[in-house]
PDB file of all heavy atoms in Angstrom:
ATOM      1  N   GLN A  58      30.027 -12.863  -4.224  1.00  0.00           N
ATOM      2  CA  GLN A  58      29.106 -12.340  -3.231  1.00  0.00           C
ATOM      3  C   GLN A  58      29.875 -11.595  -2.143  1.00  0.00           C
ATOM      4  O   GLN A  58      29.375 -10.575  -1.594  1.00  0.00           O
ATOM      5  CB  GLN A  58      28.279 -13.521  -2.601  1.00  0.00           C
ATOM      6  CG  GLN A  58      27.059 -13.063  -1.843  1.00  0.00           C
ATOM      7  CD  GLN A  58      26.010 -12.398  -2.721  1.00  0.00           C
ATOM      8  OE1 GLN A  58      25.901 -12.716  -3.937  1.00  0.00           O
ATOM      9  NE2 GLN A  58      25.240 -11.537  -2.169  1.00  0.00           N
ATOM     10  N   ALA A  59      31.099 -11.993  -1.849  1.00  0.00           N
ATOM     11  CA  ALA A  59      31.925 -11.313  -0.865  1.00  0.00           C
ATOM     12  C   ALA A  59      32.303  -9.880  -1.315  1.00  0.00           C
ATOM     13  O   ALA A  59      32.533  -9.009  -0.460  1.00  0.00           O
ATOM     14  CB  ALA A  59      33.199 -12.115  -0.585  1.00  0.00           C
ATOM     15  N   ASP A  60      32.376  -9.682  -2.638  1.00  0.00           N
ATOM     16  CA  ASP A  60      32.739  -8.371  -3.156  1.00  0.00           C
ATOM     17  C   ASP A  60      31.552  -7.403  -3.302  1.00  0.00           C
ATOM     18  O   ASP A  60      31.752  -6.279  -3.771  1.00  0.00           O
ATOM     19  CB  ASP A  60      33.425  -8.522  -4.517  1.00  0.00           C
ATOM     20  CG  ASP A  60      34.850  -9.020  -4.407  1.00  0.00           C
ATOM     21  OD1 ASP A  60      35.475  -8.812  -3.327  1.00  0.00           O
ATOM     22  OD2 ASP A  60      35.380  -9.586  -5.405  1.00  0.00           O
ATOM     23  N   MET A  61      30.347  -7.820  -2.928  1.00  0.00           N
ATOM     24  CA  MET A  61      29.191  -6.963  -3.074  1.00  0.00           C
ATOM     25  C   MET A  61      29.283  -5.715  -2.234  1.00  0.00           C
ATOM     26  O   MET A  61      28.741  -4.672  -2.556  1.00  0.00           O
ATOM     27  CB  MET A  61      27.924  -7.730  -2.712  1.00  0.00           C
ATOM     28  CG  MET A  61      27.500  -8.699  -3.736  1.00  0.00           C
ATOM     29  SD  MET A  61      27.013  -7.874  -5.271  1.00  0.00           S
ATOM     30  CE  MET A  61      26.587  -9.300  -6.241  1.00  0.00           C
ATOM     31  N   GLU A  62      29.991  -5.784  -1.137  1.00  0.00           N
ATOM     32  CA  GLU A  62      30.175  -4.585  -0.214  1.00  0.00           C
ATOM     33  C   GLU A  62      31.317  -3.700  -0.720  1.00  0.00           C
ATOM     34  O   GLU A  62      31.406  -2.558  -0.364  1.00  0.00           O
ATOM     35  CB  GLU A  62      30.456  -5.031   1.207  1.00  0.00           C
ATOM     36  CG  GLU A  62      29.353  -5.828   1.808  1.00  0.00           C
ATOM     37  CD  GLU A  62      28.037  -5.038   1.863  1.00  0.00           C
ATOM     38  OE1 GLU A  62      28.101  -3.827   2.192  1.00  0.00           O
ATOM     39  OE2 GLU A  62      26.975  -5.616   1.597  1.00  0.00           O
ATOM     40  N   ASN A  63      32.172  -4.233  -1.612  1.00  0.00           N
ATOM     41  CA  ASN A  63      33.335  -3.455  -2.139  1.00  0.00           C
ATOM     42  C   ASN A  63      32.811  -2.541  -3.255  1.00  0.00           C
ATOM     43  O   ASN A  63      32.396  -2.994  -4.308  1.00  0.00           O
ATOM     44  CB  ASN A  63      34.390  -4.403  -2.623  1.00  0.00           C
ATOM     45  CG  ASN A  63      35.642  -3.692  -3.051  1.00  0.00           C
ATOM     46  OD1 ASN A  63      35.717  -2.460  -3.086  1.00  0.00           O
ATOM     47  ND2 ASN A  63      36.678  -4.487  -3.390  1.00  0.00           N
ATOM     48  N   ARG A  64      32.880  -1.252  -3.008  1.00  0.00           N
ATOM     49  CA  ARG A  64      32.374  -0.275  -3.975  1.00  0.00           C
ATOM     50  C   ARG A  64      33.154  -0.309  -5.300  1.00  0.00           C
ATOM     51  O   ARG A  64      32.567  -0.211  -6.386  1.00  0.00           O
ATOM     52  CB  ARG A  64      32.435   1.127  -3.355  1.00  0.00           C
ATOM     53  CG  ARG A  64      31.807   2.188  -4.137  1.00  0.00           C
ATOM     54  CD  ARG A  64      31.869   3.515  -3.390  1.00  0.00           C
ATOM     55  NE  ARG A  64      31.305   4.573  -4.122  1.00  0.00           N
ATOM     56  CZ  ARG A  64      30.085   5.003  -3.985  1.00  0.00           C
ATOM     57  NH1 ARG A  64      29.259   4.434  -3.092  1.00  0.00           N
ATOM     58  NH2 ARG A  64      29.619   6.017  -4.673  1.00  0.00           N
ATOM     59  N   ALA A  65      34.456  -0.457  -5.229  1.00  0.00           N
ATOM     60  CA  ALA A  65      35.266  -0.515  -6.439  1.00  0.00           C
ATOM     61  C   ALA A  65      34.968  -1.745  -7.263  1.00  0.00           C
ATOM     62  O   ALA A  65      34.858  -1.672  -8.531  1.00  0.00           O
ATOM     63  CB  ALA A  65      36.774  -0.526  -6.066  1.00  0.00           C
ATOM     64  N   ALA A  66      34.766  -2.894  -6.624  1.00  0.00           N
ATOM     65  CA  ALA A  66      34.429  -4.124  -7.418  1.00  0.00           C
ATOM     66  C   ALA A  66      33.077  -3.970  -8.101  1.00  0.00           C
ATOM     67  O   ALA A  66      32.914  -4.399  -9.265  1.00  0.00           O
ATOM     68  CB  ALA A  66      34.399  -5.316  -6.460  1.00  0.00           C
ATOM     69  N   ARG A  67      32.103  -3.379  -7.472  1.00  0.00           N
ATOM     70  CA  ARG A  67      30.842  -3.115  -8.122  1.00  0.00           C
ATOM     71  C   ARG A  67      30.933  -2.167  -9.267  1.00  0.00           C
ATOM     72  O   ARG A  67      30.251  -2.355 -10.328  1.00  0.00           O
ATOM     73  CB  ARG A  67      29.793  -2.581  -7.085  1.00  0.00           C
ATOM     74  CG  ARG A  67      29.374  -3.583  -6.066  1.00  0.00           C
ATOM     75  CD  ARG A  67      28.112  -3.160  -5.303  1.00  0.00           C
ATOM     76  NE  ARG A  67      28.058  -1.757  -4.989  1.00  0.00           N
ATOM     77  CZ  ARG A  67      28.410  -1.203  -3.799  1.00  0.00           C
ATOM     78  NH1 ARG A  67      28.829  -1.982  -2.844  1.00  0.00           N
ATOM     79  NH2 ARG A  67      28.263   0.079  -3.608  1.00  0.00           N
ATOM     80  N   ALA A  68      31.805  -1.172  -9.156  1.00  0.00           N
ATOM     81  CA  ALA A  68      32.024  -0.251 -10.276  1.00  0.00           C
ATOM     82  C   ALA A  68      32.678  -0.931 -11.461  1.00  0.00           C
ATOM     83  O   ALA A  68      32.335  -0.715 -12.596  1.00  0.00           O
ATOM     84  CB  ALA A  68      32.883   0.938  -9.759  1.00  0.00           C
TER      85      ALA A  68
END
Side-chain angles (χ1 to χ4, degrees):
Q58 196 65 29
D60 283 337
M61 286 294 180
E62 298 300 318
N63 185 354
R64 188 176 177 97
R67 290 195 321 262

